[in-house]
Amino acid sequence: MTHAGRQRLKLLAFFAIFALPVAVAWGMVEWRIGIPESRTAHGELQPSLPVLSQWPLTAVEKDGESDWLLAFDCPEACDANADRWWRLHRALGRDAARVSRLRIGGGGEPLPGAALAQWTTEVDWRTPHRLWILDPEGRPVLGYAPEVDTADVLDDLRRLLRMNPEPPMARYDHASSVVGGDGDDE
């Protein structure tokens, strides 16, 4: 093979390196090969529900302004479910500080770290023992039936937290407000 032939072969190989991924991607899209047909979330998307501020609840408290919220409906004593969601919250590890828990209804005191609210009126979209994940702005993202596997909720919540990272200075802003107080130290 001559020098010019080797150079042409190198040029064709160079073009193939860049053209082959484009051709494969086009084929995947055109013939639907290798593209997953199912969704990745285990819960049900909840775009039709109103934001949390429009829910007919008594006062709702979150630990942090930018926290995600695990809200679970507890029409009667539900110690087992409350404990289940408390354990899920602890399983988040270092991301647990980015999530608050809200128990809606039920009797007795909430578990440590959970807020308590009550329904003020009945709504048609409410399902007893349901769990919702709400974003920091109070929009319902995912809803879960009572029989959902805790590992599935943990998987979805970890994915949401990973896909929506905490703002870089959020930890420092929270730490300075806790340490510095309200400025009335003098």
Side-chain angles (χ1 to χ4, degrees):
M1 183 177 274
T2 65
H3 178 69
R6 283 193 303 265
Q7 294 301 332
R8 284 187 190 122
L9 188 59
K10 286 180 186 178
L11 183 62
L12 286 174
F14 182 73
F15 284 139
I17 288 173
F18 292 104
L20 188 60
V22 173
V24 168
W26 177 81
M28 288 175 68
V29 169
E30 191 65 30
W31 294 301
R32 309 298 287 166
I33 298 171
I35 298 174
E37 294 294 326
S38 63
R39 58 181 198 201
T40 57
H42 298 94
E44 302 162 9
L45 295 174
Q46 301 285 291
S48 62
L49 290 184
V51 294
L52 181 64
S53 62
Q54 296 174 353
W55 289 19
L57 297 173
T58 57
V60 175
E61 298 175 21
K62 289 191 335 182
D63 289 338
E65 186 69 28
S66 63
D67 279 4
W68 288 74
L69 187 65
L70 277 175
F72 58 99
D73 190 359
C74 188
E76 65 272 342
C78 60
D79 295 334
N81 268 343
D83 183 62
R84 178 180 169 193
W85 303 132
W86 178 82
R87 289 177 187 278
L88 176 137
H89 192 199
R90 296 296 106 207
L92 288 171
R94 69 177 186 188
D95 282 332
R98 296 181 56 201
V99 177
S100 295
R101 288 186 335 275
L102 173 67
R103 186 180 84 190
I104 306 171
E109 290 295 315
L111 289 175
L116 180 63
Q118 301 292 335
W119 293 105
T120 56
T121 60
E122 191 63 35
V123 289
D124 58 347
W125 49 263
R126 177 183 173 218
T127 306
H129 301 287
R130 190 154 182 86
L131 173 75
W132 296 279
I133 296 178
L134 291 94
D135 72 4
E137 296 175 4
R139 293 182 301 241
V141 178
L142 294 171
Y144 299 91
E147 63 276 353
V148 68
D149 186 27
T150 307
D152 290 343
V153 177
L154 181 62
D155 183 44
D156 286 349
L157 191 54
R158 281 187 173 150
R159 181 176 293 120
L160 283 169
L161 293 173
R162 185 177 62 246
M163 299 303 280
N164 298 283
E166 183 176 35
M169 299 303 286
R171 276 196 187 137
Y172 299 114
D173 291 342
H174 178 66
S176 66
S177 67
V178 171
V179 173
D182 57 5
D184 294 335
D185 294 342
E186 297 178 31

